[in-house]
Amino acid sequence: MPSSETPLKPSDPVAPSVSVVVAPPDEADALAQTQAAIATAAQSVSIKVLTVNIHKGFTFFNRKFILHELREAVRTVGADVVFLQEVTGTHARHESRVANYPATPHYEFLADTIWPQFAYGRNAVYTNGHHGNAVLSKFPIVHFENRDVSISGPERRGLLHCVLEVPGRDTHVHAICVHLGLAESHRLKQLHMLCDMVHKDIPASAPVIAAGDFNDWRRRAHAVLERGAAMHEVFVNANGKAARTFPARFPVLPLDRIYVRNAIGHSPVVLPLKPWSHLSDHAPLAAEIEF
């Protein structure tokens, strides 16, 4: 039967037989992303953080001294880094009048044998003593500085900036314990001071955690910190809104926050209502953060 194809003449060139296999673009991209994720996972580290305003170790309205109970509650969370506000350094009057009042500063009493590293930033000083912010850490604190961000009047506020050396990381993790003012005009200025600190004192590639009592009941901090410091809040990112923490028994106002920068993952940790509801006027917040 005659062929419909025209036969090649002996003088016609013959194309070489070459087999080329090209992966579809989407498959190649998926492979690259998988390899990158594996590499990142091998280098990442996850830490648990806790923040709580401990109200100088007293219950709401200063009815009862409960620092011993508070220490046990903090321990049960198993946090690697703890951010504390309204921590008493010394108070001569309470030492002589309150039963079981620790002989050591409250941040040392709370750290005890669980957190070998701690830093304290004294904010308010008065006749009988002083109080401020503190950070307790299972990781070495290689440097810390307490930045005075008080605006005017008797209200004293500070930003306690700690540089942490976390095993498995080439860059340091920066932890900033925050306690902002009650007046909105003061808070806005203090938020901009926090943004300046992050920009000027911390490398752009370094992980940052800023946690504490922001007193931001009008929710202005989210936009300021996102725009000015590329930081976002853990609970807002997960739930669409900040967690309500004040007053602790029946939380209505979202005063306490955990903001992060350069984290590859993070998620809120749910804490039980009890015993926290009677340990302070603020409910605590906790989160797992991956860098």
Side-chain angles (χ1 to χ4, degrees), residues 47-50 72-82 114-115 138 269 271 276 286-288:
I47 65 176
K48 181 185 283 189
V49 302
L50 170 73
E72 294 307 310
V74 170
R75 286 178 171 182
T76 61
V77 177
D80 300 299
V81 183
V82 181
I114 307 299
W115 294 274
K138 293 181 180 178
V269 173
L271 298 176
W276 293 104
E288 289 278 359

Side-chain angles (χ1 to χ4, degrees), residues 49-234:
V49 302
L50 170 73
T51 180
V52 59
N53 182 324
I54 67 170
H55 195 56
K56 307 179 189 69
F58 287 86
T59 58
F60 208 19
F61 297 123
N62 298 326
R63 290 173 177 170
K64 182 182 178 183
F65 185 68
I66 42 74
L67 193 67
H68 295 76
E69 295 176 62
L70 184 65
R71 182 172 65 174
E72 294 307 310
V74 170
R75 286 178 171 182
T76 61
V77 177
D80 300 299
V81 183
V82 181
F83 299 75
L84 301 172
Q85 304 86 52
E86 293 194 26
V87 183
T88 298
T90 62
H91 199 292
R93 185 177 181 183
H94 290 334
E95 288 174 8
S96 62
R97 296 188 177 187
V98 177
N100 297 321
Y101 202 85
T104 59
H106 289 185
Y107 52 90
E108 290 189 25
F109 176 79
L110 292 169
D112 196 30
T113 58
I114 307 299
W115 294 274
Q117 299 276 301
F118 47 80
Y120 171 68
R122 184 174 60 182
N123 295 333
V125 181
Y126 30 83
T127 303
N128 289 302
H130 52 81
H131 72 265
N133 296 337
V135 170
L136 316 181
S137 175
K138 293 181 180 178
F139 310 118
I141 299 175
V142 297
H143 174 74
F144 74 90
E145 175 194 5
N146 190 48
R147 184 76 56 88
D148 185 358
V149 293
S150 306
I151 304 301
S152 62
E155 198 177 62
R156 313 309 299 171
R157 302 297 184 185
L159 302 173
L160 178 60
H161 175 199
C162 297
V163 183
L164 310 181
E165 187 175 76
V166 179
R169 285 206 53 85
D170 295 331
T171 57
H172 291 139
V173 174
H174 294 256
I176 305 173
C177 189
V178 178
H179 193 188
L180 302 187
L182 296 174
E184 184 175 5
S185 60
H186 291 189
R187 288 196 302 273
L188 288 174
K189 292 178 182 178
Q190 290 160 350
L191 286 168
H192 287 295
M193 291 179 186
L194 174 55
C195 291
D196 288 342
M197 173 187 284
V198 172
H199 274 302
K200 296 177 181 178
D201 300 343
I202 301 175
S205 60
V208 182
I209 308 168
D213 180 1
F214 284 75
N215 274 316
D216 180 38
W217 60 276
R218 300 192 67 180
R219 302 172 177 86
R220 299 291 179 84
H222 306 324
V224 174
L225 293 179
E226 184 173 356
R227 182 174 60 252
M231 303 187 73
H232 59 271
E233 212 278 331
V234 171

